[in-house]
């Protein structure tokens, strides 16, 4: 994958292109769409987000219109202004395979297809797909066969197993890249009540850095998109130093969408 | 929709914890639309737009560091706007029932549609308002029960206020300005979902003002 600049909008915070109304597409290497599942999902009950000093906790629950809707409106989902990365998720092995089959005729329209194996906010699917490693490997194997020409990315978190072990599997089955990392499960007490969700924002940075560092040690030539707490040039530098190919902007969009322009310009100038 | 800067003009304290903040900039927006203002917090915060003494203004209730920053510290703010939909009231005489947090929208609607305005405030109001106000829950409840003859009602305030009005006024033309946590304000993040009779809606792109029959 050749992205210029190597800056990606993360799946979820960016929705399905809405931020292109506020940011200059020249500085977006690729825009990842919010994760789509086989069947539509209404998402979790509200309140779905809280923010504290250095983290956001969200429990959106993969609200999305389902793959049939995307296919029927494919022109709306393949963005004109930038390259588009499609993100797909599922609740079971069958769902991952079915959704791959459904998108196969349209796969060429996307720069890459990312499979979300790490959403912390759904009861089935998401993270728990990793609870049976054999099944998960069958997904990797089958999807690779169904989408032989796509640039396939796996989005992982630090839960389920050591991320470097999972990453090796991804590579073994011929996938092209990794997005590291997704939100990590978190919990917050608000007015005496328990709020659970996925953590994002600055708090994730050291965790994401370590994950990429460990994966790069064992896999020299897999494409890595960094995700987790990237807001500043220093963050970009740090992620490049541990062996990242591209950085992704997620929660930072909520603070200031223009961060994309600032970091995009910076990345265009950085020698890599 | 665009990125913009706001520079603070005046801050006027309405009651114990709520302030009108006016801005020097002039820009176009429709009644009911809102703006996301940047503070040191990790997410921008939504404020319904209105006017005060000829200036574009929002009303800010102090809830935490972000709102505190807007009222007391910040002078220049990054923001994006205008967001959400225009509120078009039905024909006839209407009333806006609002807490001080939506006073600038109430003022704008009052100027545009000559509608009545009732401000329900928890604490004493610091200056004479150009419209009627009641202080405390008890007076508010009494007053609401007398308001039966309007052609439309817009309620904009706390959840408690909205529920009280909905259960005491039968008109189908009761409109409610909903509040949900907003991450983006532009339809991307799906944090502001509301479950309605017509399925999942998003306050930022389908609202912020909804008619009672879909809720
Ligand atoms: C509101 C919200 C929704 C998200 N939805 C998705 C999603 O649908 N699919 C996905 O793979 N990741 C999702 N994520 C995770 C982000 O893509 C990203 O990996 C994570 O937030 C960490 O990066 P950040 O600190 O830059 O936000 C979501 C994150 C947030 C905050
Ligand atoms: S606030 Fe993000 S979708 Fe409404």
């Amino acid at each position: 994958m050749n992205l210029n600049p190597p800056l990606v909008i993360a799946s979820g915070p960016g929705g399905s292109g809405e931020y292109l109304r506020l940011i200059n597409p020249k500085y977006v290497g690729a825009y990842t769409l919010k994760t789509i599942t086989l069947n539509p999902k209404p998402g979790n009950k509200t309140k779905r987000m809280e923010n504290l000093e250095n983290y956001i906790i969200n429990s959106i629950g993969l609200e999305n219109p389902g793959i049939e809707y995307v296919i029927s409106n494919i022109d709306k989902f393949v963005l004109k202004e930038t390259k588009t990365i499609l993100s797909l998720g599922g609740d079971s092995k069958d769902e991952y395979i079915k959704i791959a089959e459904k998108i196969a005729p349209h796969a060429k329209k996307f720069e890459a297809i990312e499979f979300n194996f790490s959403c912390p906010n759904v009861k089935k699917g998401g993270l728990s797909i990793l609870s049976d490693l054999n099944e998960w490997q069958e997904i990797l194997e089958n999807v690779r066969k169904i989408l032989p020409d796509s640039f396939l990315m796996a989005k992982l978190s630090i839960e389920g197993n050591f991320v470097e072990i999972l990453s090796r599997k991804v590579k073994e089955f011929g996938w092209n890249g990794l997005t590291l990392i997704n939100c990590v499960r978190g919990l917050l007490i608000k007015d005496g009540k328990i709020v659970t969700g996925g953590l994002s924002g600055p708090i994730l940075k050291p965790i994401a850095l370590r994950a990429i560092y460990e994966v790069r040690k064992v896999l020299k030539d897999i494409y890595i998109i960094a995700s987790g707490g990237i807001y500043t040039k220093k963050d970009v530098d740090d992620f490049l130093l541990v062996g990242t190919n591209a950085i992704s902007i997620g929660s930072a969009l909520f603070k200031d969408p223009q961060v994309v322009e600032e970091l995009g310009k910076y990345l265009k100038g950085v020698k890599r | 929709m665009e990125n913009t800067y706001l520079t603070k003009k005046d801050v006027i304290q309405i009651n114990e914890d709520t302030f009108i903040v006016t801005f020097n900039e002039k820009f176009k927006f429709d009644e009911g639309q809102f703006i996301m203002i940047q503070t040191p917090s990790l997410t921008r915060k939504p404020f319904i737009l209105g006017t005060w003494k000829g200036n574009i203004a929002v009303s800010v209730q102090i809830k935490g560091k972000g709102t505190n920053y807007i009222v007391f510290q910040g002078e220049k703010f990054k923001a994006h706007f205008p967001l959400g939909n225009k509120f078009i009231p039905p024909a006839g005489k209407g009333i806006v029932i609002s807490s001080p947090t939506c006073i600038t929208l109430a003022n704008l609607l009052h100027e545009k549609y000559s509608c009545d305005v009732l401000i329900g405030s928890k604490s004493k109001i610091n200056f004479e308002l150009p419209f009627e106000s009641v202080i405390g829950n008890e007076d508010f409840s009494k007053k609401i029960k007398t308001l039966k003859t309007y052609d439309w009602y817009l309620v904009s305030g706390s959840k408690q206020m909205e529920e009280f009005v909905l259960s005491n006024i039968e008109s189908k033309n009761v409109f409610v300005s909903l509040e949900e946590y907003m991450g983006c304000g532009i339809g991307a993040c799906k944090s502001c979902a509301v479950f309605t009779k017509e399925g999942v809606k998003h306050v930022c792109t389908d609202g912020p003002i909804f008619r009672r029959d879909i809720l």
Side-chain angles (χ1 to χ4, degrees):
Chain A
M1 195 158 48
N2 187 11
L3 303 181
N4 184 24
L7 180 152
V8 171
I9 302 296
S11 176
S16 35
E18 286 84 353
Y19 271 101
L20 291 171
R21 298 174 68 185
L22 292 172
I23 56 191
N24 185 342
K26 205 166 105 187
Y27 300 106
V28 178
Y31 202 118
T32 316
L33 305 179
K34 178 159 181 64
T35 299
I36 302 293
T37 50
L38 188 63
N39 300 311
K41 276 189 195 288
N44 291 330
K45 64 180 197 323
T46 53
K47 191 173 179 183
R48 293 180 173 182
M49 208 187 275
E50 302 268 0
N51 76 280
L52 274 88
E53 199 95 319
N54 60 355
Y55 65 90
I56 291 171
I57 183 162
N58 86 80
S59 56
I60 307 292
L62 291 188
E63 182 192 324
N64 80 90
I67 194 68
E68 295 295 352
Y69 180 85
V70 172
I71 290 171
S72 317
N73 296 276
I74 196 87
D75 290 342
K76 243 177 56 190
F77 286 88
V78 180
L79 305 171
K80 285 167 199 68
E81 301 89 335
T82 67
K83 294 176 174 173
T84 312
I85 299 176
L86 179 66
S87 167
L88 299 175
D91 275 345
S92 63
K93 185 182 94 183
D94 282 356
E95 282 197 18
Y96 277 95
I97 290 171
K98 272 204 190 112
I99 202 169
E101 285 167 348
K102 285 196 186 281
I103 205 64
H106 307 277
K108 282 206 174 71
K109 299 184 174 121
F110 299 98
E111 181 68 13
I113 300 184
E114 177 172 285
F115 282 75
N116 181 354
F117 295 121
S118 45
C119 180
N121 288 323
V122 283
K123 284 213 179 63
K124 284 160 72 193
L127 258 181
S128 64
I129 200 72
L130 294 170
S131 62
D132 183 336
L133 274 189
N134 288 330
E135 270 208 353
W136 182 62
Q137 290 179 56
E138 283 175 39
I139 297 176
L140 294 176
E141 188 178 4
N142 282 292
V143 168
R144 182 71 285 178
K145 282 187 195 141
I146 298 163
L147 299 168
D149 305 317
S150 292
F151 195 92
L152 284 184
M153 306 271 314
K155 183 157 180 186
L156 302 175
S157 185
I158 52 158
E159 295 181 287
N161 207 322
F162 281 108
V163 66
E164 55 272 37
I165 293 176
L166 296 178
S167 296
R168 269 209 179 110
K169 292 283 170 210
V170 170
K171 172 83 185 162
E172 238 175 77
F173 285 97
W175 287 43
N176 311 83
L178 295 159
T179 297
L180 303 170
I181 57 175
N182 206 323
C183 298
V184 173
R185 289 188 301 166
L187 185 152
L188 149 86
I189 311 285
K190 173 128 190 197
D191 305 327
K193 289 208 178 81
I194 286 179
V195 178
T196 58
L199 300 174
S200 68
I203 208 171
L204 273 197
K205 181 184 162 187
I207 305 172
L209 275 172
R210 179 70 188 270
I212 294 168
Y213 172 77
E214 296 298 339
V215 171
R216 189 52 91 202
K217 273 203 293 203
V218 297
L219 296 173
K220 298 296 175 213
D221 59 351
I222 195 158
Y223 196 91
I224 299 179
I225 300 178
S227 169
I230 300 172
Y231 287 74
T232 65
K233 290 174 188 169
K234 163 83 167 118
D235 298 334
V236 170
D237 286 343
D238 293 353
F239 276 100
L240 292 177
L241 193 83
V242 292
T244 295
N245 298 91
I247 58 114
S248 87
I249 304 293
S251 299
L253 292 169
F254 301 149
K255 185 170 175 69
D256 183 2
Q258 284 166 294
V259 71
V260 170
E261 184 156 339
E262 186 198 342
L263 300 184
K265 263 186 203 156
Y266 182 63
L267 276 163
K268 282 193 180 223
V270 170
K271 282 221 168 61
R272 288 171 338 105
Chain B
M1 188 194 303
E2 59 181 290
N3 295 298
T4 189
Y5 278 100
L6 298 171
T7 55
K8 203 195 261 171
K9 186 168 183 166
D10 285 316
V11 175
I12 306 150
Q13 183 157 12
I14 311 174
N15 67 6
E16 194 173 73
D17 63 356
T18 308
F19 297 76
I20 293 169
V21 179
T22 67
F23 301 108
N24 293 307
E25 290 70 19
K26 307 277 175 211
F27 49 76
K28 280 216 173 75
F29 65 92
D30 292 320
E31 307 80 56
Q33 289 191 300
F34 67 96
I35 188 163
M36 296 288 285
I37 301 180
Q38 187 169 331
T39 71
S41 161
L42 286 181
T43 62
R44 291 183 173 185
K45 300 293 170 219
F47 294 94
I48 203 140
L49 286 161
T51 53
W52 199 256
K53 302 216 185 305
N55 296 302
I56 290 179
V58 298
S59 174
V60 185
Q61 183 181 25
I62 303 290
K63 285 185 183 154
K65 281 195 181 148
T67 45
N68 204 66
Y69 176 82
I70 293 177
V71 173
F72 297 113
Q73 291 135 33
E75 288 301 327
K76 190 175 182 191
F77 309 93
K78 283 186 170 182
H80 59 281
F81 86 107
L83 309 169
N85 299 289
K86 180 177 185 165
F87 170 60
I88 305 171
K93 180 79 179 168
I95 183 166
V96 181
I97 302 164
S98 156
S99 64
T101 48
C102 297
I103 203 165
T104 64
L105 169 65
N107 184 57
L108 177 61
L109 289 166
H110 175 67
E111 285 172 358
K112 182 152 179 182
Y113 294 103
S114 310
C115 55
D116 288 345
V117 172
L118 173 71
I119 302 293
S121 174
K122 289 191 306 289
S123 59
K124 193 175 134 287
I125 293 177
N126 290 356
F127 56 91
E128 194 156 326
L129 292 175
F131 14 73
E132 193 177 353
S133 60
V134 284
I135 313 296
N137 287 343
E138 211 169 297
D139 284 2
F140 180 76
S141 330
K142 268 193 214 144
K143 182 74 197 177
I144 293 301
K145 289 180 181 155
T146 68
L147 306 176
K148 307 272 186 199
T149 57
Y150 287 96
D151 298 305
W152 59 268
Y153 302 78
L154 170 64
V155 199
S156 190
S158 61
K159 276 214 165 90
Q160 195 192 353
M161 187 182 237
E162 286 157 14
E163 276 162 20
F164 189 81
V165 173
L166 285 173
S167 55
N168 282 279
I169 291 178
E170 275 168 16
S171 162
K172 71 175 192 321
N173 283 333
V174 178
F175 297 83
V176 181
S177 170
L178 293 186
E179 249 189 67
E180 275 301 334
Y181 187 99
M182 287 196 195
C184 69
I186 62 172
C189 74
K190 312 299 177 208
S191 67
C192 66
V194 277
F195 291 86
T196 73
K197 287 182 193 151
E198 294 171 6
V200 182
K201 301 264 178 199
H202 300 98
V203 176
C204 69
T205 47
D206 299 310
I209 295 171
F210 294 87
R211 205 164 87 160
R212 77 173 318 161
D213 47 356
I214 78 156
L215 299 176

